[in-house]
């Protein structure tokens, strides 16, 4: 289960973030994931066995950020 969040920067640009909570008890860590140039953060969610799913199963909450002009931003 993911949660989409957006924040507005000081210059009015909306930035998109997606939160995936830990699935095993309380989160023991939090990880901010950022993507490479000319990409979006969606590649962290590849299928059911994606990177964020693996982090969640290991007890790590993840936030994936889309930089300006990419993905949800």
């Amino acid at each position: 289960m993911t949660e989409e969040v957006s924040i507005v920067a000081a210059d009015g640009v909306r930035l998109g973030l997606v939160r995936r909570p830990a699935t095993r008890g309380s989160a023991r860590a939090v990880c901010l994931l950022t993507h490479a140039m000319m990409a979006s953060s969606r590649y962290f969610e590849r299928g059911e066995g994606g990177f964020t799913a693996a982090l969640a199963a290991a007890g790590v909450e993840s936030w994936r950020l889309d930089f300006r002009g990419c993905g949800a931003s």
Side-chain angles (χ1 to χ4, degrees):
M1 181 171 110
T2 62
E3 171 189 4
E4 293 185 20
V5 178
S6 65
I7 58 172
V8 179
D11 61 357
V13 174
R14 187 182 67 81
L15 301 174
L17 294 115
V18 178
R19 175 183 171 263
R20 182 183 283 253
T23 56
R24 190 181 71 180
S26 329
R28 60 187 180 110
V30 178
C31 181
L32 175 63
L33 304 166
T34 60
H35 58 81
M37 202 165 121
M38 306 301 291
S40 77
S41 69
R42 286 188 304 262
Y43 69 76
F44 292 115
E45 291 284 341
R46 302 263 175 161
E48 291 297 316
F51 186 58
T52 59
L55 288 173
V60 178
E61 177 180 318
S62 64
W63 287 83
R64 57 184 179 88
L65 167 71
D66 280 316
F67 290 118
R68 294 168 183 243
C70 298
S73 294

